[in-house]
Amino acid sequence: MSYDYLFKYIIIGDTGVGKSCLLLQFTDKRFQPVHDLTIGVEFGARMVTIDGRPIKLQIWDTAGQESFRSITRSYYRGAAGALLVYDITRRETFNHLASWLEDARQHANPNMTIMLIGNKCDLSHRRAVSKEEGEQFAKENGLLFLEASARTAQNVEEAFIRTAAKILQNIQEGVFDVSNESSGIKVGYWTPSRSIRGKRWSGCSEKRMLQLIETKTASILLAAFAITVMKISFQLSCDFWRKY
Ligand SMILES: Nc1nc2c(ncn2[C@@H]2O[C@H](COP(=O)(O)OP(=O)(O)O)[C@@H](O)[C@H]2O)c(=O)[nH]1
Ligand SMILES: [Mg+2]
């Protein structure tokens, strides 16, 4: 299936916070009640539409344990977005956020969009971290924030889609060099209605493409103007010779 952009995501956070369940709920719309330990890194993908544009999300789900931390680190580099997850019923998973963020800042693209997710919000009777604390942490560290539940699917779509919308906004503002795949963004083939004489604009930033279109339009108008002037002069000279 064709897409305008492909965004790579990474899901990080302590073990047992619900990373794999969030991915499964997003890709398969189902919940896995038994904790199936992620070994190394797993992978999921789904198409979404943002501002009418088809975008493919390629999502890497990592293992939270310390022993897998070095494998996880190697996945930061090629990611455009990260979902940093904690469990609202386990305070220690919230306390470890700073260390996850430090890893991300050290190994990821500095423009990576990070969405902080307070997961398991269906278990609010066992809550150990207030929503305000989550919001405050996100604000202090420049992250997006949502509380979600992989079990009830509350805010799961929103978490993935809002991250993608922010990445798309950054592309439109020229923050990313999309021709460099280490940004975690791949430009797809343009759909026929958007392509210009079938030309593939892969590797070209949106800003640059608009500039090219403007330059092309200006040249066409100039050429049309020159032809009209030549036609009028030719007509006038013909009339002149006919008279005299
Ligand atoms: N109640 C509830 N349980 C959840 C939720 N998300 C995950 N779990 C449970 O938490 C455990 C760990 O989930 P998992 O996705 O494997 O965690 P991971 O290690 O971060 O990938 C599993 O038993 C899940 O069923 C949620 O939103 N609500
Ligand atoms: Mg897992």
Side-chain angles (χ1 to χ4, degrees):
M1 197 174 180
S2 67
Y3 52 81
D4 281 5
Y5 291 108
L6 181 149
F7 297 160
K8 285 187 193 162
Y9 281 14
I10 182 172
I11 314 186
I12 50 174
D14 280 7
T15 187
V17 295
K19 299 181 295 297
S20 303
C21 286
L22 284 165
L23 177 59
L24 195 68
Q25 184 58 261
F26 181 65
T27 55
D28 288 26
K29 297 193 188 314
R30 63 190 172 91
F31 177 65
Q32 162 77 269
V34 183
H35 188 186
D36 187 6
L37 204 66
T38 307
I39 304 296
V41 174
E42 285 168 10
F43 162 86
R46 205 187 111 179
M47 289 293 296
V48 293
T49 304
I50 295 165
D51 287 346
R53 310 183 71 158
I55 291 172
K56 183 170 182 172
L57 302 183
Q58 189 184 83
I59 306 145
W60 297 89
D61 171 29
T62 66
Q65 302 99 306
E66 197 56 46
S67 49
F68 289 111
R69 214 68 186 255
S70 62
I71 300 175
T72 301
R73 283 189 190 114
S74 61
Y75 282 84
Y76 282 108
R77 191 171 289 279
L83 304 188
L84 171 55
V85 188
Y86 68 94
D87 176 346
I88 66 153
T89 70
R90 281 165 59 216
R91 177 106 214 149
E92 71 274 18
T93 65
F94 180 75
N95 295 341
H96 295 159
L97 289 179
S99 132
W100 283 108
L101 214 49
E102 202 182 298
D103 256 19
R105 301 273 189 239
Q106 215 172 332
H107 300 281
N109 182 320
N111 298 313
M112 181 170 80
T113 297
I114 305 177
M115 165 69 79
L116 177 65
I117 300 179
N119 191 37
K120 307 197 188 179
C121 71
D122 56 293
L123 301 176
S124 56
H125 54 288
R126 283 170 42 198
R127 181 185 281 277
V129 184
S130 73
K131 191 174 178 190
E132 291 68 30
E133 280 176 287
E135 269 165 357
Q136 184 65 22
F137 184 90
K139 203 170 157 199
E140 281 167 5
N141 292 283
L143 319 175
L144 302 171
F145 174 70
L146 277 173
E147 278 199 348
S149 167
R151 183 179 194 150
T152 65
Q154 188 185 337
N155 277 346
V156 174
E157 289 271 320
E158 287 78 356
F160 285 89
I161 286 173
R162 274 194 213 171
T163 308
K166 180 69 187 163
I167 298 169
L168 191 61
Q169 185 192 339
N170 283 343
I171 293 173
Q172 282 159 350
E173 287 172 3
V175 171
F176 284 111
D177 172 12
V178 290
S179 60
N180 182 351
E181 281 198 17
S182 74
S183 64
I185 297 164
K186 206 164 137 187
V187 184
Y189 288 88
W190 281 73
T191 47
S193 60
R194 286 206 188 117
S195 70
I196 297 161
R197 277 193 272 135
K199 195 170 175 142
R200 187 190 164 193
W201 292 92
S202 179
C204 203
S205 82
E206 192 155 337
K207 223 175 181 180
R208 174 88 187 108
M209 206 190 70
L210 288 174
Q211 275 171 357
L212 285 171
I213 292 171
E214 275 166 18
T215 317
K216 255 186 183 181
T217 313
S219 333
I220 291 166
L221 287 175
L222 203 68
F225 178 72
I227 290 168
T228 314
V229 169
M230 277 165 65
K231 252 178 145 179
I232 294 170
S233 334
F234 181 72
Q235 198 76 51
L236 286 174
S237 53
C238 281
D239 288 352
F240 178 82
W241 287 114
R242 225 178 279 131
K243 272 190 192 160
Y244 303 100

